[in-house]
Amino acid sequence: MRRAIMLLACLPFLLGLPIVADAEKSGERQWQDESVYYIVVDRFMNGDMNNNNGADLEDPKVYHGGDLPGIVDQLDYIKELGFTTIQLSPIMQNEGDSYHGFHISDFRNVEEHFGTMEEARKVVEEAHARDIKVIFDLPVGFVSENHPWAENEAKSEWLTGEEVSSEHPWFDQLLQVDVNQKDVGTYFKETMDYWKEKTGVDGFRTITNDSDLSETSLQDDSLIVYNSSIREGHTFREVTREAFSQAGNTLNNLLTEEDLTQPHLLDFYDVSRFTHEAVEEGQNPITRWQLALTHVFTAPGIPVVYYGTETPLDDGGDPQNLPMMNFKAGDEKLKQRIEKLTSMREQFPVLTRGDYREVYNEDGLAVFKRTYEGNEMVIAINNAKETRTMTLEGLEDDHQLRGLLHDGLVRQQSDGTYRLGMERETADVFIVEPNSGYNWLFIGFVGGVLSLFVLAVIVISLKNRKADTT
């Protein structure tokens, strides 16, 4: 019996039948090919109880115990979700109870609550062993009120003399750094080189107040470097959150920008969790997340997923309430959607490098097309409360659309069009490929194998029965 089962399992491989479709050839990997998981270090995982000085899980304004060893402990978890890069909130030495990491007091030392330089290096090494890149947040536009530069006459000129004015309590009244000074630029370039040498980190998100870094030349061909400002607008996030906050909302305002290297995220430390807003609207947060993430992962740009999205975490509507990650919680449907989306970006460069064009957007149903080097994919998102249909034109004859999320199959109609139907509150990503028709050879093969299997079972049963009677 065991031999019969093994034969049934192995025959497709022995005959060389295709089990999965070949992925597109991606060539040299680029920054835009990544899928990023953002970790607030203190709120992720407590891996070392010896660095918990002052930690209090009951106080949302102080350290909770998350650290660098905890990240190492959960790298396999992140790998299973399919992310190719992790991004860490600032791990540099901080002042007071600044668990978030933005009150820097020493740019070239690790905050003791998070661990040591050796542990930071281990995070990178263990991540690399799993083919995961690591990016550090590096605040360059501001420092803590008691930073040594404020007392150093030579370095005090590196500060503007003004304080940051922000509605966010993490940043309000921090000392502003003059990022456009040549010496400041040199210092931070050397600081990035320092962290690269000490840990092997792959890149940095430099963070400013309201200035660009065009004159400081922090770009480095050997590192991933991108800048963001605590004052910048987040139009993509705002539009996407609004569109998918409720079933029935129009998708007419979804952005179609062309920047393939722009990071996009829906949750962050300056806005309440999308999960909470969905609950407040009386919506199913899992369904809302599935649709919104499908858009984020298939639109131009780099998807960045905030820690806990996959569980999904609820902050009660307070952006400054960063709950501790609960690895025992979670929704399998949402995790599976993330796994499928990260996998698709890995397999199909058309989603990371392709042109983006809207082909239909009415009554809550939006359909987009991505094209790259002769390959096409169609993304359909139905945010309506009812089933929606549309007719796709302009595709090649005798092709089919094969769904990757729901295994749907759309074939060409007699009039040469492709009729796409989407159930309420669903999304799918379709590969456009030549019509495979019915694979009678494979169907016949499977039927034959099953027949042989049944016959083998009968023969073995008869032999066993005969043996019992003798």
Side-chain angles (χ1 to χ4, degrees):
M1 178 70 74
R2 182 177 298 176
R3 290 181 180 178
I5 294 174
M6 289 298 293
L7 178 63
L8 178 65
C10 294
L11 272 175
F13 298 94
L14 295 174
L15 295 180
L17 292 178
I19 305 303
V20 295
D22 290 334
E24 299 169 27
K25 304 301 182 184
S26 60
E28 185 178 352
R29 193 169 186 85
Q30 301 176 23
W31 166 227
Q32 66 208 50
D33 298 322
E34 307 300 328
S35 299
V36 183
Y37 189 87
Y38 186 96
I39 297 172
V40 177
V41 178
D42 180 64
R43 297 305 204 247
F44 192 60
M45 179 68 183
N46 191 345
D48 183 359
M49 303 299 292
N50 296 318
N51 56 26
N52 290 348
N53 182 37
D56 184 355
L57 291 173
E58 302 301 320
D59 188 345
K61 296 183 179 180
V62 302
Y63 286 96
H64 282 188
D67 50 30
L68 297 170
I71 294 174
V72 173
D73 291 343
Q74 296 299 329
L75 284 175
D76 287 335
Y77 168 84
I78 297 170
K79 179 69 175 179
E80 289 174 3
L81 289 172
F83 291 97
T84 62
T85 298
I86 57 173
Q87 182 173 333
L88 308 187
S89 61
I91 66 169
M92 297 81 190
Q93 184 174 308
N94 261 251
E95 182 178 334
D97 290 323
S98 305
Y99 66 90
H100 44 74
F102 288 101
H103 293 183
I104 303 290
S105 57
D106 186 348
F107 284 99
R108 298 184 184 179
N109 199 7
V110 176
E111 167 56 44
E112 62 180 4
H113 286 88
F114 300 150
T116 64
M117 187 66 73
E118 181 58 34
E119 288 169 331
R121 183 175 185 83
K122 185 174 181 180
V123 169
V124 178
E125 289 177 344
E126 292 293 332
H128 287 175
R130 295 164 175 81
D131 293 323
I132 297 174
K133 293 183 175 65
V134 182
I135 292 177
F136 291 163
D137 272 1
L138 178 62
V140 300
F142 38 83
V143 294
S144 67
E145 297 174 343
N146 298 314
H147 192 282
W149 290 352
E151 304 298 328
N152 186 324
E153 184 175 347
K155 298 291 179 62
S156 63
E157 296 182 357
W158 291 11
L159 306 175
T160 66
E162 299 178 354
E163 295 179 345
V164 174
S165 177
S166 174
E167 296 180 358
H168 199 296
W170 293 356
F171 307 109
D172 193 42
Q173 296 185 335
L174 292 179
L175 304 181
Q176 288 194 50
V177 176
D178 188 354
V179 295
N180 287 318
Q181 275 202 42
K182 182 179 180 181
D183 289 345
V184 172
T186 299
Y187 173 82
F188 282 118
K189 178 63 173 63
E190 292 174 349
T191 297
M192 292 194 301
D193 291 340
Y194 174 85
W195 285 100
K196 172 68 175 177
E197 178 184 354
K198 291 292 185 180
T199 69
V201 69
D202 299 285
F204 300 88
R205 175 179 77 118
T206 56
I207 308 161
T208 58
N209 178 28
D210 57 4
S211 305
D212 62 50
L213 295 172
S214 58
E215 297 181 21
T216 59
S217 301
L218 294 184
Q219 294 302 315
D220 187 324
D221 291 340
S222 66
L223 293 168
I224 298 167
V225 181
Y226 75 97
N227 183 64
S228 66
S229 165
I230 61 174
R231 294 180 181 274
E232 68 186 7
H234 300 280
T235 307
F236 181 93
R237 182 178 73 185
E238 293 169 2
V239 169
T240 303
R241 284 170 64 104
E242 173 62 27
F244 294 107
S245 62
Q246 294 189 63
N249 282 0
T250 179
L251 302 182
N252 290 343
N253 296 324
L254 291 180
L255 297 185
T256 57
E257 62 177 299
E258 296 298 327
D259 186 356
L260 299 177
T261 64
Q262 177 64 42
H264 291 312
L265 43 72
L266 298 187
D267 274 354
F268 215 32
Y269 47 70
D270 58 344
V271 65
S272 64
R273 290 268 181 170
F274 185 63
T275 297
H276 182 78
E277 295 191 4
V279 172
E280 286 290 296
E281 296 290 345
Q283 302 288 302
N284 182 336
I286 304 304
T287 302
R288 298 292 90 209
W289 268 119
Q290 286 178 322
L291 299 183
L293 286 173
T294 299
H295 176 59
V296 172
F297 272 80
T298 58
I302 301 168
V304 182
V305 175
Y306 201 39
Y307 87 102
T309 293
E310 71 280 10
T311 58
L313 276 180
D314 188 333
D315 60 6
D318 181 4
Q320 278 77 64
N321 175 24
L322 275 63
M324 198 72 182
M325 180 72 174
N326 183 0
F327 291 93
K328 296 181 180 179
D331 184 275
E332 285 304 314
K333 290 183 179 179
L334 184 53
K335 288 183 179 179
Q336 289 171 9
R337 175 59 59 92
I338 292 174
E339 289 170 6
K340 287 184 177 180
L341 292 170
T342 53
S343 176
M344 285 190 298
R345 282 180 61 89
E346 283 297 286
Q347 293 183 66
F348 303 103
V350 66
L351 291 177
T352 65
R353 307 184 185 188
D355 296 332
Y356 181 86
R357 181 168 66 89
E358 180 182 286
V359 296
Y360 182 89
N361 200 332
E362 293 183 17
D363 301 322
L365 173 62
V367 181
F368 308 93
K369 183 188 290 186
R370 302 293 303 270
T371 57
Y372 177 70
E373 294 186 347
N375 298 293
E376 289 185 319
M377 297 187 82
V378 172
I379 299 97
I381 304 176
N382 182 18
N383 195 47
K385 298 179 180 180
E386 303 86 16
T387 297
R388 291 279 186 257
T389 60
M390 58 85 62
T391 300
L392 270 172
E393 299 178 348
L395 298 181
E396 292 187 46
D397 289 334
D398 199 28
H399 275 58
Q400 65 185 21
L401 280 68
R402 177 164 57 86
L404 299 177
L405 296 179
H406 297 290
D407 301 320
L409 194 62
V410 179
R411 288 196 169 96
Q412 189 175 28
Q413 302 290 306
S414 57
D415 62 358
T417 62
Y418 296 81
R419 189 169 179 80
L420 181 61
M422 298 293 296
E423 295 183 7
R424 59 170 292 174
E425 298 183 75
T426 59
D428 211 341
V429 182
F430 298 90
I431 301 173
V432 180
E433 59 188 8
N435 187 355
S436 62
Y438 295 105
N439 193 337
W440 291 112
L441 177 61
F442 181 70
I443 293 172
F445 163 75
V446 172
V449 170
L450 289 175
S451 298
L452 289 173
F453 179 69
V454 172
L455 181 60
V457 171
I458 293 174
V459 170
I460 293 172
S461 298
L462 289 175
K463 286 184 177 180
N464 290 338
R465 186 178 301 175
K466 184 176 180 180
D468 291 339
T469 58
T470 56

